[in-house]
Amino acid sequence: MSFTLTGRRGGAAVLSAALLATLAGCGSDDDAKDSVAPKTELTVLAASSLTDVFATAGAAYEKENPGTKVTFSFAGSQELAAQVGQGAPADALVTADTKTMDGLTSDTGKPTVIAKNRLVIATGEGNPEKVESLTDLADPGLKVVLAAPEVPVGRYGKQILDAQKIDVKPVSQEPNVRAVLSKVELGEADAGLVYRTDAATATDKVDAIDIPDAQNAIASYPAATLKSSKNTKAAAAFVSWLSTPEAQKILQDAGFQKP
C-alpha cells in the first residue's frame, strides 16, 4: 500500500525524514574516516643524512602497515642525542655513528646497525676548482666547509684528514652534513666533506670526488627503540623492519652500503 502526505504535517514529515537521512549519511562518513585513521603514530629521530631515503622507507612501511603512521625528525646525531636526554617524545632513534648511540644505553634498547656509508669530497658542479684529492683541501685559496667535530661526519672527516696529516682551515663548521652540502650547492664553499649518499641527492648541483678506501672512513648507522616510547611494540617492529630485504633494498638503492 502506498500513500502521499500533504499539507503542513505532510511537509514537516518529509523534511524530518530528509534531515534524518542527511544526519545518518554524515555519521557514516565520520565512521569511514575513523576506520582508516592510523591506530599508531611513531616518531623516529634520525640523522640528517637519512632525510631522503627515510621518506621513501617511511612510505613503504606505512603501505605495509596501514594502521601505523611514521613521522621523522631529522638533525645531526649529536642534536638527536641531546633531544633524547631532554626527554623529547619519540619512539626510535637512528644515528650516523655508533659512538653517539653507545652514549645513550640508558635510554635505548639494543641497537642494530642497519646501513653503512662513506665520505666523498663535494665540489661545485663541474668541479671548477679542479679538486682531485684530500690533499687539495689544504690549499689556503680554497674555501672548504666541514661539519663540526662533534657531528659524526665532522668526526669522520677529522679522522681521515688527521690520518693523512692534512691541515685544513675550514671557512665554517656546520651542525650537520646537510648544512655542509647546502654551502657547496649555494657556492658559499668550493668543497666540503659529506657522505656519498648526500652528494647523490644533489647531482645537478655538486660533483662528488671519491676518496680511496685506504684513506676513507666507514660510517655505521645503528637504530634502536627508545625506552620512553609509549608504543614499544610498534617501535620495535619498525626498527626490525629496517633490516628486512625490502628496507635494505631502499637503503642500498640510495647508495648506502650493507650493514
Side-chain angles (χ1 to χ4, degrees):
M1 179 177 66
S2 62
F3 58 88
T4 303
L5 293 173
T6 60
R8 293 184 178 179
R9 286 186 182 178
V14 171
L15 181 61
S16 296
L19 180 60
L20 287 171
T22 300
L23 290 173
C26 290
S28 297
D29 289 342
D30 290 341
D31 291 343
K33 290 177 182 177
D34 289 342
S35 67
V36 297
K39 298 175 183 177
T40 304
E41 295 191 19
L42 291 177
T43 297
V44 179
L45 305 179
S48 295
S49 49
L50 294 165
T51 300
D52 294 89
V53 70
F54 266 15
T56 303
Y61 188 77
E62 289 177 355
K63 186 176 181 180
E64 278 190 30
N65 301 270
T68 301
K69 176 177 175 56
V70 185
T71 300
F72 297 100
S73 177
F74 299 101
S77 296
Q78 81 291 349
E79 293 180 53
L80 300 178
Q83 291 175 27
V84 171
Q86 292 163 7
D91 303 289
L93 170 69
V94 188
T95 61
D97 66 335
T98 55
K99 181 177 180 179
T100 299
M101 185 69 79
D102 289 345
L104 297 168
T105 53
S106 61
D107 299 292
T108 68
K110 184 178 179 180
T112 300
V113 174
I114 61 160
K116 292 190 176 183
N117 213 340
R118 289 178 182 269
L119 275 64
V120 296
I121 303 169
T123 71
E125 185 182 11
N127 190 10
E129 300 299 325
K130 308 303 179 187
V131 176
E132 297 180 353
S133 66
L134 289 172
T135 305
D136 293 334
L137 300 182
D139 182 345
L142 197 70
K143 291 185 293 183
V144 179
V145 62
L146 302 173
E150 63 268 20
V151 183
V153 71
R155 188 162 57 249
Y156 294 132
K158 185 177 186 304
Q159 173 186 325
I160 64 177
L161 290 171
D162 287 351
Q164 300 301 312
K165 295 180 170 37
I166 299 170
D167 184 21
V168 176
K169 305 293 185 187
V171 294
S172 69
Q173 293 183 313
E174 302 300 321
N176 58 66
V177 68
R178 283 308 172 98
V180 175
L181 183 67
S182 178
K183 290 279 188 180
V184 179
E185 285 182 293
L186 295 171
E188 296 176 10
D190 299 317
L193 290 176
V194 301
Y195 295 119
R196 178 179 294 167
T197 53
D198 288 284
T201 67
T203 53
D204 58 333
K205 295 180 180 178
V206 304
D207 283 7
I209 312 303
D210 285 333
I211 300 170
D213 287 349
Q215 299 176 11
N216 215 328
I218 298 176
S220 295
Y221 289 73
T225 57
L226 291 175
K227 292 179 180 178
S228 60
S229 171
K230 295 181 180 179
N231 305 292
T232 52
K233 288 185 178 180
F238 176 75
V239 169
S240 294
W241 179 82
L242 290 173
S243 295
T244 64
E246 180 181 4
Q248 285 297 301
K249 184 178 187 305
I250 293 171
L251 286 161
Q252 288 157 34
D253 284 350
F256 288 86
Q257 297 173 245
K258 293 181 181 180

